[in-house]
Amino acid sequence: MIKYLFIFVTFISLSATAQNYVPGDAGSNVHFVIKHFGFNAAGDFTGLKGEILFDAKNISSSMVNLSVDAASINTDNDSRDKSLRTNDYFDVKKFPLINLKSTKISNTNKTSEGFYFFTGNFTIRDSTHSISFPFKAEKTSDGYSFSGEFDIDRLDYGVGAQSAVLGDKVKISFKVNARKQ
């Protein structure tokens, strides 16, 4: 009897922990928009890697650690992309990854609708700043799809210099498809 009780308690404790998910580039998107000469200029990053621990029933045990390949920047303009990879902007040779790492995942007042709140650190180049934003988690057949958006000031991260033609505010939106590991 004690043996079966031990197995049952072990099973319950294992099922109560966060599940490990692996993000995939396929179907995922990291997109940004910035004002350039007063118009929206946009681009994408690929090379999504990292890990996500997620448990909707015990959200405090959840964790996110993701990166994208800075050199993968694609604005549909080869000349602009080449310039953005230089040390004036992303300096991709010295800083190949852009990172997002949680310090806390918490519930929102819309948790029943699949919304949660991310608090953590965002790193571009050698600059790391704390950010917070709501995100949505939607169950898929083999994992979750996470989506959300947040704003940064590119100057806080040393991406370019003050400019009359390039805006400082950058809107970053994402959709991360992650499957069970």
Side-chain angles (χ1 to χ4, degrees):
M1 180 70 166
I2 297 211
K3 175 181 172 183
Y4 294 112
L5 182 60
F6 174 76
I7 292 170
F8 177 74
V9 169
T10 301
F11 174 76
I12 294 298
S13 67
L14 288 175
S15 65
T17 61
Q19 177 68 45
N20 195 8
Y21 296 92
V22 177
D25 239 7
S28 295
N29 187 351
V30 178
H31 183 75
F32 68 90
V33 177
I34 187 170
K35 291 287 185 188
H36 187 245
F37 286 106
F39 297 97
N40 284 341
D44 299 292
F45 289 96
T46 57
L48 183 65
K49 294 182 180 164
E51 70 174 322
I52 298 170
L53 297 175
F54 188 75
D55 183 355
K57 293 180 180 159
N58 182 15
I59 200 66
S60 65
S61 68
S62 299
M63 181 276 306
V64 172
N65 187 5
L66 299 174
S67 66
V68 292
D69 178 5
S72 73
I73 192 165
N74 182 351
T75 64
D76 289 329
N77 181 318
D78 291 339
S79 177
R80 181 186 315 150
D81 295 345
K82 185 182 272 189
S83 177
L84 290 171
R85 291 181 186 110
T86 68
N87 62 346
D88 290 336
Y89 292 93
F90 288 100
D91 197 0
V92 300
K93 288 182 181 175
K94 191 172 181 184
F95 306 105
L97 299 176
I98 297 171
N99 297 97
L100 178 69
K101 186 173 184 178
S102 65
T103 55
K104 180 181 178 183
I105 306 290
S106 56
N107 289 315
T108 68
N109 58 356
K110 294 183 179 181
T111 302
S112 63
E113 299 172 36
F115 285 91
Y116 302 92
F117 202 75
F118 174 97
T119 302
N121 295 312
F122 188 61
T123 303
I124 300 176
R125 297 176 57 110
D126 58 350
S127 295
T128 300
H129 295 277
S130 180
I131 61 169
S132 299
F133 56 87
F135 70 94
K136 186 167 188 173
E138 296 178 274
K139 190 88 172 116
T140 64
S141 62
D142 62 346
Y144 275 91
S145 178
F146 302 96
S147 59
E149 64 182 31
F150 57 93
D151 295 335
I152 64 166
D153 184 325
R154 67 180 177 83
L155 298 175
D156 290 344
Y157 295 89
V159 178
Q162 187 71 43
S163 170
V165 298
L166 187 61
D168 298 340
K169 179 182 159 190
V170 181
K171 180 172 286 303
I172 300 170
S173 60
F174 63 88
K175 178 182 178 187
V176 176
N177 288 329
R179 59 178 169 69
K180 287 182 186 177
Q181 184 171 357

